[in-house]
Amino acid sequence: MASRLKEYYLKSVVTALMDRFKYRNPMQVPVLEKVVVNMGLGEAIQNPKALENAQQEMSVITGQWPVLRKARKSIASFKLREGMTIGCKVTLRRDTMFHFLDKLINIALPRVRDFRGINPRGFDGRGNFSMGIREQIIFPEINYDQIEKIRGMNITIVTTAKTDEEARELLALLGMPFRK
């Protein structure tokens, strides 16, 4: 079943982007490729149980089981050795990506305390956007009473846009609340 956001993209956003950037072919319109949700856990070095809890919470939020990430380098001052598990990530594509973005834009972000919009400087110069979330409790699936610790996460939205301007317009038309 296609999500509301995907149907909206196909019906409204494609035509609006074609008018705005003067594309001659609908295949030139930027598309969302994937959304990567990453949670780094420095505390997992001392507390391996934190990793399990983070993995469980992330699977509830995204609807997909996260992959564990290992350290690439040893850092003595952090008591970190190469190969230690220090985080988890999920790569969402197709319908699950659209469902997650719909939930993020319409439900989770408005629940952030003192929310004034997302910082528009999170673009990388190639049409991809990254943002950080400080608390996982903004998602409605998370039961506040069962949380042992507040954790943040990074969300990266990868698009086929050639420039940041095209990607910003794409995300703005999808409803991303950028700060003015």
Side-chain angles (χ1 to χ4, degrees):
M1 183 176 110
S3 83
R4 298 178 321 153
L5 195 62
K6 186 173 185 178
E7 290 174 8
Y8 178 72
Y9 169 78
L10 293 172
K11 286 188 176 112
S12 305
V13 175
V14 171
T15 55
L17 286 173
M18 284 185 73
D19 292 343
R20 168 93 162 73
F21 292 105
K22 307 288 186 249
Y23 296 125
R24 284 185 248 135
N25 187 335
M27 298 303 282
Q28 291 176 298
V29 175
V31 181
L32 296 174
E33 275 186 13
K34 63 184 176 180
V35 173
V36 180
V37 182
N38 180 42
M39 193 181 287
L41 299 162
E43 73 211 57
I45 297 168
Q46 283 87 23
N47 182 10
K49 183 96 173 110
L51 204 58
E52 295 171 19
N53 292 339
Q55 215 175 4
Q56 189 67 42
E57 290 168 7
M58 192 181 281
S59 71
V60 167
I61 290 170
T62 61
Q64 189 170 309
W65 192 252
V67 176
L68 294 176
R69 305 300 294 162
K70 298 189 183 300
R72 289 189 229 150
K73 287 196 231 175
S74 299
I75 303 173
S77 59
F78 294 140
K79 297 181 181 144
L80 180 66
R81 288 189 301 279
E82 186 178 338
M84 290 177 88
T85 307
I86 56 164
C88 54
K89 82 163 189 175
V90 170
T91 303
L92 303 169
R93 297 176 194 272
R94 297 183 204 75
D95 286 338
T96 54
M97 169 186 67
F98 279 105
H99 282 292
F100 176 77
L101 274 178
D102 192 15
K103 183 171 52 177
L104 176 72
I105 293 168
N106 297 315
I107 298 170
L109 288 177
R111 292 177 66 172
V112 173
R113 262 181 278 143
D114 301 328
F115 185 66
R116 290 183 182 85
I118 293 175
N119 189 348
R121 292 185 294 169
F123 289 93
D124 67 350
R126 293 182 186 88
N128 304 317
F129 180 71
S130 295
M131 61 182 267
I133 291 180
R134 292 199 173 111
E135 304 174 331
Q136 81 275 34
I137 56 174
I138 63 171
F139 289 95
E141 299 89 356
I142 298 293
N143 187 351
Y144 188 77
D145 299 329
Q146 295 176 345
I147 296 299
E148 67 169 34
K149 186 174 181 206
I150 301 289
R151 293 187 187 92
M153 59 184 70
N154 298 326
I155 299 172
T156 302
I157 302 168
V158 180
T159 68
T160 59
K162 301 280 188 277
T163 64
D164 287 348
E165 184 187 358
E166 292 174 354
R168 184 178 291 114
E169 189 68 24
L170 167 66
L171 293 176
L173 287 172
L174 286 174
M176 189 68 79
F178 288 113
R179 197 177 302 147
K180 300 288 184 264

